[in-house]
Amino acid sequence: SSRFEGIDTCDTLIIGGGIAGLSLKYMLNQNDITSILVEQNSITSGASGMNGGFCSSGWSLDQRLIEKKIGLKKSKELFNISLKGLNWLKSICNSVSPSISQFKQGVLKVYCSKKINHLEYLNNKFNEDYEVSNFFLKKEELLENINSPIYSSGILDLEAFHFNSLNILLSLAHQINEENKSIFEFSKVNEIKKIKSEFHVSILNGGKIKARRVVVATGGYFSKIRGINLNNKLFRLNTSVAVSEPLSTNYSKNIILNYATHDNRRAGNYFRILPDKRLLWGRDIRSIGTLSCNEIVKGAKKDLKKIFPTAGINFDNLIFDYAWSGNLGYSSNLMPFIFKTGDNLFFMTGFGGHGMNTAPAAAILIKDAILGEDHKLEIFSDFFPSWNGGILGKYFVELYLRWLKFCDFVT
């Protein structure tokens, strides 16, 4: 996509070209609502294009903790909203060639806890309360799907899936631009003014856009927008991914990964085998500093030795061809910031930790609000993010994350 230049008018301006912004743009196009999307970098530069490609129901905040805060009825409503996001993204994956989406059903969540009977009870109760069919795997069944002695049990969600998020992002952008050239990269917003009933938005390179409403969908990159300072609402956390060379039979037969897998620790790992037999390994979360590629690879090998200690293979010899890190936006309550001001300014951001279903879910809500159903956003009023501690906040978060990592280590 080109840079935005000149002057244009639309019904809705979307700021941010990640999965949230592109999903909303796609939905507005389907409803014949004119919109323009501007992205300050390239469409694939943020976390949406660089993540592990996991998509499952729910939110970053554990569903039982949501239930504890707002009750079972409203918790079920939120869960069903998350399912809509999952099913929408699944339909997008199924609308393109399998070689592009690389769609594969099933995500496995694994546990280190020895309280296996209690975990099984919780899973059965969750299935009953939320009308799902997640399978509880005890040690023997788990070993058939992941050859690691450190995990005691797991929960298999066959409605969840994994996919190539980069390809889907590009495919969405391509489909949108085929209809009308209304996505613009390297077009950073410089200023937003409200004049009477219209927003007047200045783009850094001199362009100007007039819009009835503005939607902020900026992920882990945020600033102050018309009195709402996202820097004081959200935390910018950094996580890392490493991708190996195609695994030899010696590695693949000893690791055994039948499903995309993640563990239940907040500072945990997520990993899967890619279609070309490479191992994708997600790890680490931090609020201060960014790891170099060498540090990411070194950490991944350390994780592999810890998680697969009996595999009988030397992970030091495993070559990693790629490594990168990216920023995620988190709120202190681990729920996204989905909100509308009184003057038609919308926010949908803060999807860190669980964004590939929740961002499209938020887009569905924002689309419905634009079509006149504002009341659907009210369910997120219970999760309005509090002050994040300002300049000291990231240091407190880093201390907390290190505490979690220490607890993981002790466990």
Side-chain angles (χ1 to χ4, degrees):
S1 298
S2 59
R3 297 173 188 268
F4 181 85
E5 295 176 344
I7 299 173
D8 206 345
T9 301
C10 64
D11 183 272
T12 303
L13 172 66
I14 303 167
I15 303 172
I19 186 66
L22 284 172
S23 299
L24 179 60
K25 182 79 177 74
Y26 185 92
M27 294 172 196
L28 294 183
N29 281 8
Q30 288 188 315
N31 285 275
D32 297 321
I33 297 172
T34 62
S35 59
I36 294 171
L37 184 150
V38 292
E39 161 60 43
Q40 69 174 354
N41 296 306
S42 68
I43 289 297
T44 59
S45 62
S48 294
M50 300 193 294
N51 65 81
F54 286 58
C55 188
S56 58
S57 57
W59 306 86
S60 188
L61 182 62
D62 185 86
Q63 200 68 40
R64 288 302 185 187
L65 295 178
I66 294 175
E67 183 182 319
K68 187 176 180 180
K69 181 176 176 65
I70 62 175
L72 179 59
K73 183 179 178 181
K74 289 177 76 174
S75 178
K76 287 174 72 172
E77 186 179 343
L78 267 176
F79 183 77
N80 288 332
I81 290 170
S82 81
L83 275 178
K84 288 182 179 179
L86 179 142
N87 289 327
W88 183 87
L89 190 56
K90 187 181 293 186
S91 71
I92 293 297
C93 288
N94 290 332
S95 71
V96 302
S97 166
S99 63
I100 293 174
S101 69
Q102 298 174 13
F103 175 92
K104 187 176 180 182
Q105 207 83 27
V107 172
L108 177 63
K109 183 177 183 178
V110 289
Y111 295 83
C112 296
S113 173
K114 296 179 181 178
K115 299 177 181 179
I116 298 173
N117 291 336
H118 181 63
L119 289 172
E120 185 174 19
Y121 164 78
L122 291 177
N123 180 63
N124 293 339
K125 187 77 167 61
F126 186 87
N127 285 346
E128 179 183 343
D129 288 345
Y130 292 90
E131 300 176 31
V132 294
S133 301
N134 295 336
F135 297 94
F136 189 81
L137 306 182
K138 293 186 178 180
K139 187 73 173 182
E140 297 75 19
E141 296 171 289
L142 190 64
L143 285 171
E144 295 175 9
N145 294 286
I146 174 171
N147 186 25
S148 172
I150 75 166
Y151 298 122
S152 61
S153 57
I155 293 174
L156 177 60
D157 181 356
L158 290 176
E159 291 302 312
F161 61 92
H162 49 107
F163 67 111
N164 188 314
S165 57
L166 176 63
N167 284 356
I168 289 299
L169 215 63
L170 291 171
S171 176
L172 260 180
H174 178 71
Q175 289 181 59
I176 292 166
N177 262 354
E178 271 195 329
E179 296 176 26
N180 52 67
K181 303 283 186 183
S182 51
I183 295 176
F184 299 93
E185 297 178 302
F186 306 105
S187 302
K188 184 176 182 179
V189 170
N190 186 43
E191 186 180 35
I192 302 175
K193 289 182 179 179
K194 187 75 180 286
I195 301 176
K196 294 183 179 180
S197 61
E198 271 189 333
F199 287 99
H200 290 231
V201 180
S202 300
I203 306 302
L204 198 59
N205 62 2
K208 294 187 183 298
I209 301 170
K210 294 180 182 180
R212 286 182 57 201
R213 60 181 65 84
V214 172
V215 181
V216 179
T218 49
Y221 304 86
F222 33 82
S223 57
K224 186 175 181 179
I225 301 170
R226 287 189 57 79
I228 295 181
N229 191 348
L230 295 179
N231 285 308
N232 287 337
K233 295 290 183 188
L234 303 175
F235 298 100
R236 187 181 289 109
L237 302 186
N238 186 273
T239 187
S240 305
V241 176
V243 177
S244 76
E245 63 183 344
L247 295 179
S248 66
T249 305
N250 187 40
Y251 281 112
S252 57
K253 75 178 182 181
N254 283 290
I255 291 175
I256 306 175
L257 279 179
N258 292 339
Y259 298 98
T261 303
H262 64 106
D263 60 39
N264 70 314
R265 301 171 298 156
R266 174 58 58 182
N269 299 105
Y270 50 97
F271 38 92
R272 63 189 182 101
I273 303 295
L274 302 179
D276 59 359
K277 306 302 180 185
R278 297 176 187 272
L279 172 66
L280 180 148
W281 195 267
R283 67 177 313 275
D284 195 54
I285 186 167
R286 57 184 58 230
S287 64
I288 298 173
T290 302
L291 296 177
S292 68
C293 290
N294 286 338
E295 288 172 323
I296 295 170
V297 168
K298 184 178 178 181
K301 290 182 177 182
K302 183 178 179 181
D303 293 340
L304 283 162
K305 292 174 189 176
K306 186 188 303 180
I307 292 174
F308 301 102
T310 58
I313 46 182
N314 186 359
F315 287 107
D316 287 326
N317 295 332
L318 180 61
I319 295 172
F320 281 85
D321 290 338
Y322 309 99
W324 65 86
S325 62
N327 289 331
L328 307 171
Y330 279 79
S331 69
S332 56
N333 57 34
L334 300 181
M335 290 293 284
F337 181 30
I338 302 171
F339 177 68
K340 178 192 175 186
T341 68
D343 62 352
N344 266 342
L345 177 63
F346 294 80
F347 291 86
M348 54 171 184
T349 184
F351 298 104
H354 214 296
M356 299 313 287
N357 72 306
T358 55
I364 292 170
L365 290 178
I366 299 290
K367 177 262 296 180
D368 288 345
I370 289 172
L371 292 173
E373 297 183 275
D374 292 33
H375 63 277
K376 290 188 176 182
L377 301 179
E378 292 173 4
I379 192 164
F380 283 93
S381 61
D382 292 306
F383 298 100
F384 195 86
S386 58
W387 181 54
N388 64 7
I391 194 169
L392 295 177
K394 64 180 181 180
Y395 297 102
F396 290 119
V397 171
E398 184 66 22
L399 286 173
Y400 178 64
L401 291 172
R402 293 191 182 195
W403 167 251
L404 290 178
K405 291 173 185 177
F406 173 75
C407 293
D408 292 340
F409 173 76
V410 170
T411 302

